Amino acid sequence: MRKFSISDKLILASLILSILTIIIVASYSFYNAREAILDRTFNQLKSVSFVKSTQIESFFENRLKETKLAASSSDLKIIIDKFTKSDKSGGSNFQIDEWLNNDFLNQFHKKDFRNISIITKDKWEIQISPISIIRKVNSEEDSLWNKTIKHWRPIISDLQTSSVSNHHFITISSSIIDENKDVSGIIIFEISQSAIDSIMLDNDISNGLGNSGESYMVASDYLMRSSSRFLDQSVLTTLVKTESAIKAFEGTTGTAIIDDYRGVKVLSAYTKLDIDDLNWILLTEIDFDEATIPIYRIGNEI
């Protein structure tokens, strides 16, 4: 057997040392690159989350202000007074179009309200928009009346499904107070699900969420309140009891790597929304596989 000379041993030692050095430097570089890319992605998610939460909170704040303005208007009080004193023996054929045709009410038709209606204290509903209709209230509207008159401010009722058209909507309602400080009626604004999705649902890959990212809202029953990017008919049907959702309802804001409602590993940013009467959270997420593509590209290059 050939004996190794000192120079052979030095060469072998140098080779082993070089290989170990390369492995250590490569591993360190890969780990640092991975952490940097994950941190950057989490920061992007937090930025998108902040923008979306600000937009949705401002949206509801503005709708509350508009509801309060409408409820305090003299035009509305005049309409209710005329209607209350009129003969309604004609039932639904009773004509009120000329009362509703005024500049103040017409400006609300251009807002994000799907439907605007008034309920009088003798339990008639006057639908203002999109068409003028009067009818006696049903049990659901009677329940909304009782809920609304308990407050001296506009209130938001959580998302619900129409029993007639099967669409989803939110109501904002407010008591209408007459000159005697009595409740003469309530005004109800319906906000359609599409108005919420126009803020939350974003498929533009240039907006920081790539091909798999999304922002969506969840209520305290852990069901979605805005549409999923991946699932049809997800509102009020898709359960999102994930680690991020649970932490958000505990009042914390942060980020985590979790399995989402689809069972897919994602990077997640979570926060609780500040909206009157609604116990909602907002989650912004992107698939882990998409977020880590640059990491493994760097690893291969190293």
Side-chain angles (χ1 to χ4, degrees), residues 16-45:
I16 292 173
L17 181 61
S18 299
I19 292 172
L20 288 174
T21 303
I22 291 171
I23 291 172
I24 292 170
V25 171
S27 299
Y28 180 77
S29 300
F30 177 79
Y31 176 80
N32 279 353
R34 178 183 184 276
E35 292 303 305
I37 290 173
L38 289 178
D39 285 345
R40 185 195 66 183
T41 305
F42 277 131
N43 287 333
Q44 288 176 336
L45 293 176

Side-chain angles (χ1 to χ4, degrees), residues 14-269:
S14 299
L15 180 61
I16 292 173
L17 181 61
S18 299
I19 292 172
L20 288 174
T21 303
I22 291 171
I23 291 172
I24 292 170
V25 171
S27 299
Y28 180 77
S29 300
F30 177 79
Y31 176 80
N32 279 353
R34 178 183 184 276
E35 292 303 305
I37 290 173
L38 289 178
D39 285 345
R40 185 195 66 183
T41 305
F42 277 131
N43 287 333
Q44 288 176 336
L45 293 176
K46 287 190 288 186
S47 296
V48 174
S49 178
F50 175 78
V51 170
K52 294 293 185 182
S53 61
T54 301
Q55 287 178 328
I56 201 72
E57 288 169 357
S58 296
F59 173 83
F60 279 105
E61 183 180 356
N62 290 333
R63 301 296 83 79
L64 285 168
K65 288 178 180 178
E66 289 163 353
T67 305
K68 185 177 181 179
L69 176 63
S72 63
S73 74
S74 57
D75 290 349
L76 206 59
K77 294 174 183 178
I78 290 171
I79 291 171
I80 292 177
D81 185 58
K82 287 182 178 180
F83 183 81
T84 302
K85 294 177 180 178
S86 62
D87 178 13
K88 295 176 280 294
S89 58
S92 59
N93 294 321
F94 187 79
Q95 297 298 315
I96 57 171
D97 290 5
E98 59 182 72
W99 298 350
L100 302 179
N101 187 23
N102 64 67
D103 292 338
F104 179 79
L105 291 177
N106 287 337
Q107 67 178 309
F108 290 101
H109 298 179
K110 304 173 184 178
K111 303 289 184 179
D112 293 301
F113 302 120
R114 180 184 177 275
N115 186 40
I116 307 172
S117 58
I118 303 166
I119 295 178
T120 63
K121 61 184 177 182
D122 51 356
K123 300 304 174 66
W124 283 88
E125 181 189 11
I126 308 170
Q127 183 172 296
I128 299 174
S129 173
I131 56 175
S132 301
I133 298 174
I134 70 162
R135 60 179 179 82
K136 294 297 283 185
V137 303
N138 57 35
S139 58
E140 291 180 2
E141 292 157 344
D142 192 43
S143 175
L144 181 59
W145 165 278
N146 294 329
K147 179 181 176 181
T148 304
I149 64 174
K150 293 178 182 178
H151 302 270
W152 290 88
R153 62 171 179 83
I155 63 167
I156 305 175
S157 298
D158 204 345
L159 198 70
Q160 54 193 296
T161 305
S162 169
S163 57
V164 178
S165 60
N166 205 37
H167 74 275
H168 304 302
F169 66 93
I170 286 174
T171 61
I172 301 181
S173 55
S174 179
S175 299
I176 302 168
I177 309 300
D178 62 21
E179 62 276 4
N180 297 319
K181 305 299 182 183
D182 295 324
V183 177
S184 61
I186 66 172
I187 186 166
I188 305 166
F189 291 90
E190 283 187 15
I191 300 173
S192 67
Q193 176 65 42
S194 59
I196 296 172
D197 283 345
S198 67
I199 299 173
M200 300 304 301
L201 200 57
D202 191 352
N203 293 328
D204 187 348
I205 63 174
S206 65
N207 288 344
L209 290 177
N211 292 306
S212 62
E214 62 174 341
S215 289
Y216 57 93
M217 294 184 295
V218 178
S220 55
D221 57 5
Y222 292 101
L223 294 178
M224 276 194 175
R225 290 304 192 267
S226 61
S227 296
S228 164
R229 186 175 179 177
F230 306 102
L231 303 178
D232 295 330
Q233 308 297 322
S234 58
V235 176
L236 294 177
T237 61
T238 302
L239 185 68
V240 189
K241 199 165 187 178
T242 61
E243 179 186 341
S244 291
I246 293 170
K247 287 183 177 179
F249 279 118
E250 290 173 351
T252 60
T253 295
T255 58
I257 299 176
I258 64 165
D259 289 337
D260 72 357
Y261 60 92
R262 300 167 294 155
V264 175
K265 190 176 182 180
V266 297
L267 275 65
S268 175

